[in-house]
Amino acid sequence: MALATLCLALGKEGSEYVSVEGRSMMLGALALALYSFAVCQLLMRFRWSALAATTTAIALWLAVAIGSKHLLIG
């Protein structure tokens, strides 16, 4: 889905716009992967409830998403 969106944006907006969007999509995917890993660890290893694990991992997701944006994009 992301690749199709980028292809459509390339035709409409141009390559500079698509490069920024692609980078943002990759950072979002990284944040989601770390969030998923953290939730899995909290659920399986530490036996937390689903609500507690997902609520706690949202802080990690937010930190990675905002931090990577500021570090890599500016």
Side-chain angles (χ1 to χ4, degrees):
M1 185 58 83
L3 292 177
T5 303
L6 287 177
C7 288
L8 291 172
L10 181 62
K12 185 177 181 184
E13 302 291 337
S15 61
E16 186 176 325
Y17 176 81
V18 170
S19 68
V20 172
E21 288 299 309
R23 190 175 16 186
S24 299
M25 286 180 182
M26 289 189 293
L27 294 176
L30 173 67
L32 178 63
L34 289 174
Y35 167 82
S36 301
F37 179 77
V39 169
C40 183
Q41 293 299 308
L42 292 172
L43 288 174
M44 301 303 287
R45 183 174 291 186
F46 299 108
R47 304 285 184 201
W48 285 24
S49 70
L51 180 61
T54 55
T55 303
T56 302
I58 285 199
L60 173 66
W61 172 82
L62 189 61
V64 171
I66 292 174
S68 63
K69 180 208 176 275
H70 285 294
L71 287 175
L72 299 176
I73 297 176

